[in-house]
Amino acid sequence: MNPAIADLAGYCHPQPHYFNNRARINHLIDRYLSIHILNERFADLPHQFEHPQPRPWQPIHWNAIHPQQIVGIRPELFLLVISGAAEIEAPIRSYSHESWCYLRSFHAPMARFMGGEIGEHHQAAMPGVWEKEERQHRPAFSKIYQQLTGKKLVMLPNSVADYCPSTDPWTDMQNHVMARIATEWSAASTYLWLLAHATGELQRAIAQPLQDEVNHLAKFWGFSRWAFGTAFSRQVCQCFGSLLPLLLHHSRERTVNQGLHQEVRLLTDLPLVLELGFTFASVIAKLHTWDQELCLPYLTAVLGEPLYPSRELELV
Ligand SMILES: [Fe+2]
Ligand SMILES: [Fe+2]
């Protein structure tokens, strides 16, 4: 491959068509979601419980980002996806506190990993690793937007559903973990698609939040398989069921704040919709391959005795 036209997604065609873009998406999945990476990210979870440490970022040369680094897509559509990504990444404190509330009575280390240390009066004493990693994403996408357009990104407000306990906290916690997996799946797939349509420093910049999202996806997916023992197909259905209300919630807020205009522009671009669908499906296909390695002895070796038998004992 000519190094002058090779980037993180493989061959960077000057005028790519749909199948060139698919080849780039496949290349990125092999690069950033290999079975080795997924195993390594999941197996890192117990270490993070004991010695929490955010994933370090490679340095980004923000001034080297420019609009000519957008590849094979109309810049306005690329920018719409970037601004949507920046909006949905916040408010991270509310997201992480919600996770802490659902998890704290079932798995304190995971509650701490996501929601941090909470003081006596419910104030945040120390943010969790997940929050520390996530809170870098919105500023990164805002900076990218500003570099590409020369304008500050006007952010639309985004709200969080909040902690809504029912009379069955176990099911609440399970539903919550599925919702978190769905958002990580969505973020990882969207950033992977952005990476396929970028090159140079723009691509290197988006690769940083992408690797965080893959890290979260592997950790939450593995944790969920260990905690609930749910079959792959059921877990995918539950995640998909969580993703739809989330997208509708976000879309409704954008509609209230700005009208349907932008969503319609995205959804009427058929190649874009096909490519995004292909990316989401390819990420799930990779998780399916990995999932076959997540047998009980392996999960137990990483996280100890699974959570669900004790739950079943509780119910006897
Ligand atoms: Fe994120
Ligand atoms: Fe994430």
Side-chain angles (χ1 to χ4, degrees):
M1 197 182 294
N2 180 347
I5 44 176
D7 60 22
L8 298 173
Y11 178 66
C12 186
H13 200 283
Q15 280 165 331
H17 56 66
Y18 174 70
F19 287 101
N20 297 131
N21 293 334
R22 272 178 66 142
R24 283 171 69 76
I25 291 164
N26 285 333
H27 190 101
L28 288 166
I29 287 178
D30 289 345
R31 184 179 203 120
Y32 290 109
L33 273 109
S34 68
I35 302 298
H36 171 76
I37 289 174
L38 294 170
N39 270 327
E40 194 256 329
R41 296 288 81 207
F42 170 55
D44 171 54
L45 198 45
H47 179 76
Q48 291 298 330
F49 292 157
E50 295 295 320
H51 308 283
Q53 199 61 250
R55 199 189 70 80
W57 278 25
Q58 302 274 311
I60 297 170
H61 305 291
W62 299 103
N63 291 335
I65 293 175
H66 56 80
Q68 285 73 40
Q69 292 164 342
I70 300 173
V71 179
I73 185 94
R74 278 185 288 143
E76 77 219 57
L77 291 178
F78 187 89
L79 289 166
L80 267 184
V81 178
I82 292 273
S83 53
E87 272 156 26
I88 212 161
E89 285 284 359
I92 186 59
R93 180 87 277 276
S94 312
Y95 286 134
S96 67
H97 186 65
E98 189 192 358
S99 297
W100 183 86
C101 293
Y102 283 113
L103 280 153
R104 65 177 163 161
S105 41
F106 294 103
H107 201 276
M110 195 59 167
R112 205 161 39 242
F113 175 79
M114 296 183 78
E117 306 279 353
I118 304 293
E120 252 178 64
H121 305 291
H122 282 251
Q123 82 282 15
M126 166 76 84
V129 174
W130 180 67
E131 180 177 341
K132 284 184 181 170
E133 291 179 350
E134 290 288 358
R135 71 184 178 188
Q136 301 182 88
H137 296 175
R138 177 183 258 205
F141 282 112
S142 300
K143 266 191 193 170
I144 289 171
Y145 184 92
Q146 197 163 346
Q147 278 300 128
L148 291 174
T149 61
K151 291 183 215 146
K152 257 196 157 12
L153 177 60
V154 181
M155 218 77 79
L156 298 176
N158 184 35
S159 68
V160 171
D162 266 339
Y163 175 52
C164 303
S166 74
T167 51
D168 182 357
W170 172 265
T171 305
D172 291 346
M173 188 266 283
Q174 192 170 8
N175 290 340
H176 178 75
V177 171
M178 293 303 157
R180 281 289 175 264
I181 294 174
T183 53
E184 301 296 347
W185 167 37
S186 168
S189 305
T190 307
Y191 302 169
L192 211 112
W193 177 87
L194 283 168
L195 227 63
H197 285 285
T199 193
E201 199 59 21
L202 173 62
Q203 192 184 44
R204 284 171 29 81
I206 301 169
Q208 295 311 314
L210 168 72
Q211 287 170 86
D212 286 345
E213 305 301 8
V214 170
N215 180 28
H216 304 152
L217 182 59
K219 283 182 167 64
F220 297 168
W221 186 277
F223 175 82
S224 161
R225 296 289 281 111
W226 168 81
F228 312 121
T230 316
F232 175 84
S233 52
R234 201 160 147 235
Q235 182 144 310
V236 171
C237 289
Q238 287 177 334
C239 287
F240 199 70
S242 305
L243 188 61
L244 281 181
L246 181 94
L247 292 177
L248 285 174
H249 171 78
H250 186 57
S251 176
R252 202 164 32 241
E253 295 214 324
R254 286 176 68 86
T255 307
V256 167
N257 288 300
Q258 214 178 39
L260 255 179
H261 191 56
Q262 293 198 339
E263 266 67 23
V264 169
R265 271 160 77 200
L266 279 178
L267 292 173
T268 51
D269 190 283
L270 187 62
L272 180 139
V273 171
L274 285 176
E275 274 180 23
L276 275 172
F278 173 76
T279 314
F280 273 67
S282 303
V283 169
I284 279 293
K286 186 57 108 175
L287 286 176
H288 182 235
T289 311
W290 178 49
D291 191 83
Q292 288 161 351
E293 292 192 6
L294 300 180
C295 56
L296 191 56
Y298 173 62
L299 294 168
T300 309
V302 176
L303 289 172
E305 286 306 312
L307 217 49
Y308 57 90
S310 57
R311 163 68 183 167
E312 274 153 23
L313 286 176
E314 264 172 44
L315 293 172
V316 174

